[in-house]
Amino acid sequence: MRHILLVLALSPAMGLAATVGEEKRFQINALSASDFEVIQGQNMAAAEFWCAAASYIENRQGLSETTRIYVRSPRGPARTASGRKGVVFTTNGTSVPKVENGLTLKVDAVGLSRTSAVARRYCRDAFTRSTK
């Protein structure tokens, strides 16, 4: 019984540590106050790019989960990592064209956007981890 209580007592703290550290697995480089580049890692798809962008916005920048994130430059040669691919995101919506997002999960068109909260949903399996 003691062991069960100990596990239950530590579970919330362990969950918080796991979600805060999520962002550390991504290589993200600031380009300006509003622009940053997510460098493509091994087997990284669009969902991971959005996850990384949300993690950067909330954990490194300390911005709200309602912050809108836009694709400034779609997946292509990285600006900050030689020989790698990356996606440049921005929080400056006036600097990118307005596009319809629809239900697509892509990072291959300038102007695609998500709020940080929506982008963060791509980080975690809803059945095993919290979303914040």
Side-chain angles (χ1 to χ4, degrees):
M1 184 68 171
R2 287 175 137 170
H3 296 293
I4 292 172
L5 291 176
L6 180 61
V7 169
L8 291 175
L10 292 176
S11 293
M14 289 170 39
L16 179 61
T19 59
V20 170
E22 181 79 36
E23 179 263 340
K24 292 180 181 179
R25 70 185 179 116
F26 300 112
Q27 183 179 346
I28 307 166
N29 302 314
L31 298 171
S32 71
S34 61
D35 295 5
F36 57 97
E37 182 174 46
V38 176
I39 305 301
Q40 184 170 341
Q42 188 173 11
N43 299 321
M44 205 164 149
E48 286 83 11
F49 280 102
W50 285 111
C51 170
S55 294
Y56 177 83
I57 291 300
E58 294 178 22
N59 296 334
R60 290 197 200 172
Q61 296 290 357
L63 297 173
S64 165
E65 62 187 15
T66 61
T67 302
R68 187 153 283 277
I69 307 165
Y70 302 86
V71 173
R72 177 182 287 289
S73 296
R75 188 181 345 214
R79 296 181 186 182
T80 61
S82 180
R84 306 274 303 273
K85 292 189 183 255
V87 175
V88 176
F89 292 95
T90 187
T91 55
N92 182 357
T94 61
S95 65
V96 294
K98 302 290 184 238
V99 299
E100 287 294 323
N101 283 314
L103 297 175
T104 185
L105 176 61
K106 295 182 181 180
V107 288
D108 63 355
V110 175
L112 290 172
S113 69
R114 306 273 186 278
T115 63
S116 185
V118 170
R120 187 176 7 88
R121 289 183 189 151
Y122 300 123
C123 295
R124 293 153 180 87
D125 176 9
F127 297 105
T128 59
R129 291 167 64 171
S130 71
T131 58
K132 180 100 173 144

